């Protein structure tokens, strides 16, 4: 990111602190305005002529850079798989809590594995519970594969949209 006196162009296309268009002006004049407002002049791209620049407060700029780097790291790593465990005979309030957790995880960009541990002969109830959860979570995610029913647990994986 090129800032302040490091901008070598003679003219810049300036955007104000709040996003207002200030037009094309000399770099010296843009730097003068930046010093008056106690902000930085940041060049956004060198691809065009005159280069687009923006007046940005230093704290906002640092926060923006931190957010972008965190977002890039998350994209590089890919989505995490987070497990939510349930029982086949779950109370309504607990069900709502687990559903809310799954929604939060899916909207943050991570995948959810819904696991229902089985005790006796409750595989049908567990499968119905998982199917109901998947139906209610379709607005924020999609099912990866089918519902897997093994001897001791029922598992379904949901991916974010």
């Amino acid at each position: 990111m090129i800032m302040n006196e490091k901008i070598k162009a003679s003219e810049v296309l300036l955007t104000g602190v709040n996003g207002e268009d200030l037009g094309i002006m000399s770099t010296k004049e843009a730097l003068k305005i930046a010093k008056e407002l106690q902000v930085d002049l940041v060049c956004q791209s060198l691809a065009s002529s005159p280069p687009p620049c923006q007046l940005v407060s230093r704290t906002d700029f640092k926060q923006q850079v931190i957010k972008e780097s965190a977002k890039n790291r998350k994209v590089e790593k890919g989505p995490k798989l987070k497990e939510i465990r349930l029982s086949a005979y779950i109370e309504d309030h607990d069900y709502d809590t687990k559903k809310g957790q799954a929604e939060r995880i899916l909207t943050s960009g991570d995948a959810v594995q819904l696991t229902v541990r089985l005790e006796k002969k409750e595989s049908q109830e567990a499968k119905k519970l998982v199917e109901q959860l998947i139906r209610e979570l379709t607005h924020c995610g999609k099912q990866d594969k089918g519902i897997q029913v093994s001897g001791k647990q029922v598992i379904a994986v949901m991916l974010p949209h």
Side-chain angles (χ1 to χ4, degrees):
M1 213 41 86
I2 301 171
M3 294 173 61
N4 298 330
E5 286 78 21
K6 293 181 181 175
I7 299 171
K8 301 295 182 196
S10 59
E11 288 185 330
V12 294
L13 177 61
L14 190 61
T15 306
V17 177
N18 297 322
E20 66 274 6
D21 187 22
L22 300 176
I24 297 173
M25 61 178 64
S26 71
T27 306
K28 289 181 182 178
E29 195 175 332
L31 285 168
K32 182 179 169 190
I33 293 171
K35 284 188 178 157
E36 287 173 6
L37 296 173
Q38 295 180 342
V39 294
D40 290 318
L41 180 66
V42 178
C43 183
Q44 295 170 325
S45 170
L46 295 173
S48 61
S49 180
C53 294
Q54 185 172 8
L55 297 172
V56 180
S57 71
R58 187 170 293 274
T59 55
D60 289 347
F61 179 69
K62 284 182 180 178
Q63 287 175 350
Q64 185 179 351
V65 168
I66 290 169
K67 280 183 182 178
E68 285 177 14
S69 64
K71 195 174 190 180
N72 290 340
R73 276 196 307 273
K74 188 165 188 167
V75 168
E76 286 174 15
K77 286 183 179 179
K80 291 181 183 176
L81 180 65
K82 298 187 177 184
E83 181 182 32
I84 292 182
R85 293 183 182 173
L86 308 132
S87 66
Y89 301 106
I90 189 169
E91 297 287 327
D92 291 339
H93 176 266
D94 295 335
Y95 175 83
D96 292 338
T97 303
K98 296 291 186 175
K99 186 175 103 177
Q101 287 176 340
E103 283 178 5
R104 229 179 358 265
I105 292 168
L106 287 169
T107 53
S108 73
D110 292 324
V112 175
Q113 176 177 317
L114 304 168
T115 304
V116 180
R117 300 268 173 174
L118 304 176
E119 289 179 15
K120 300 167 192 148
K121 302 278 184 193
E122 49 191 33
S123 63
Q124 292 303 316
E125 291 87 357
K127 190 171 180 183
K128 287 177 187 172
L129 178 72
V130 170
E131 287 170 350
Q132 180 184 349
L133 249 175
I134 290 170
R135 274 195 308 275
E136 293 181 13
L137 292 172
T138 52
H139 68 278
C140 56
K142 59 184 182 289
Q143 188 175 356
D144 184 24
K145 298 173 186 164
I147 298 174
Q148 302 168 355
V149 181
S150 66
K152 294 185 179 182
Q153 59 190 8
V154 175
I155 297 175
V157 176
M158 291 194 72
L159 301 174
H161 281 299

